[in-house]
Amino acid sequence: MESFTSHRGKIASLDRANVDTDQIIPKQFLKSIRRTGYGENLFFDWRYLHDGKPNPNFELNRPEFQGASILVTRNNFGCGSSREHAVWALTQYGFKAILAPQQGDIPAFADIFHNNSVKNGLLNIQLKASEVEEIFQMAARYEGLEATVNLEEQRVTLHLPEEISFHFEIDPAVKHHLIRGLDEIGLSLEQQSEITAFESSYKPQVYW
């Protein structure tokens, strides 16, 4: 897994709440035993018309959003059934970070989706609703708007004529996980010396 410290990229906006995993990657694409090739089918039912042509009314098909690597969306993103394929589709499309707001008791991200994101290096950033609204407005006003997501500083900066920055909170363990680029096996291997010491001192007993 690649480490994530800081990333600058174009913002794409998806002004929809409760985007579920079946919309992110529809069920017909889950039959593959491979972990690649999902990006082209991201948001398939929204992204394409019945004849297979791109849907001109879908947000991510707009010319100004091509090549975007930061997605701003609404609350409860990634709800629905548990499928790691949803995160694979987003990262293989090119997204590095997703920004969403928490509104009252409604989370920014569904819990299982968030956990799958951490395991695959996709940064989920929870901001205030007012901050996300401002990002939507700036993305609409400035075509090709870029931002820098700095995980070490926990800051999102919009590159406007006068830059705007937003601070975000993140679980320290998740931050460590992403900055080091470690999956769960890698995290375990950080304790290799302790594991080896335990194995050398452990005396298993067999009971008959």
Side-chain angles (χ1 to χ4, degrees):
M1 189 173 82
E2 293 184 6
S3 64
F4 190 118
T5 53
S6 182
H7 170 75
R8 177 167 177 163
K10 187 189 297 185
I11 294 176
S13 59
L14 184 64
D15 195 0
R16 309 185 188 208
N18 303 308
V19 175
D20 65 49
T21 52
D22 194 49
Q23 292 295 348
I24 297 172
I25 185 70
K27 57 185 178 299
Q28 64 265 32
F29 300 110
L30 307 185
K31 300 175 183 178
S32 173
I33 60 174
R34 299 177 300 144
R35 295 185 58 171
T36 59
Y38 295 99
E40 62 191 36
N41 298 314
L42 176 69
F43 299 123
F44 185 88
D45 293 337
W46 292 340
R47 197 167 150 200
Y48 300 104
L49 300 172
H50 292 300
D51 60 4
K53 295 180 180 178
N55 180 357
N57 296 319
F58 179 55
E59 294 94 318
L60 295 191
N61 287 337
R62 295 175 186 170
E64 64 267 29
F65 290 158
Q66 299 311 297
S69 56
I70 300 170
L71 181 66
V72 58
T73 186
R74 299 297 184 182
N75 55 285
N76 205 27
F77 188 85
C79 58
S81 63
S82 170
R83 57 186 71 170
E84 199 168 10
H85 308 70
V87 177
W88 297 345
L90 287 159
T91 57
Q92 289 168 22
Y93 181 86
F95 287 118
K96 302 292 187 181
I98 303 178
L99 319 177
Q102 179 175 354
Q103 293 182 299
D105 294 332
I106 304 174
F109 302 95
D111 188 56
I112 295 176
F113 173 83
H114 176 66
N115 290 335
N116 285 335
S117 294
V118 173
K119 294 177 183 179
N120 289 277
L122 178 63
L123 178 59
N124 293 174
I125 297 175
Q126 177 180 299
L127 296 172
K128 298 176 182 177
S130 60
E131 294 172 336
V132 169
E133 187 61 45
E134 187 169 5
I135 294 172
F136 269 108
Q137 293 177 7
M138 293 301 102
R141 184 180 303 176
Y142 295 94
E143 185 173 317
L145 176 63
E146 292 189 354
T148 292
V149 176
N150 190 313
L151 180 54
E152 291 182 312
E153 297 179 358
Q154 297 177 212
R155 188 170 300 279
V156 177
T157 301
L158 304 185
H159 297 295
L160 300 165
E162 293 186 11
E163 292 186 340
I164 301 172
S165 293
F166 307 102
H167 177 79
F168 62 89
E169 298 296 333
I170 189 169
D171 184 313
V174 171
K175 182 177 180 178
H176 173 80
H177 188 119
L178 294 173
I179 286 178
R180 298 293 298 275
L182 298 172
D183 58 17
E184 291 173 324
I185 294 175
L187 288 171
S188 297
L189 291 177
E190 283 196 313
Q191 312 300 321
Q192 183 63 57
S193 59
E194 290 85 350
I195 293 171
T196 300
F198 172 79
E199 290 177 339
S200 63
S201 63
Y202 180 64
K203 305 299 183 183
Q205 297 183 13
V206 178
Y207 297 94
W208 299 93

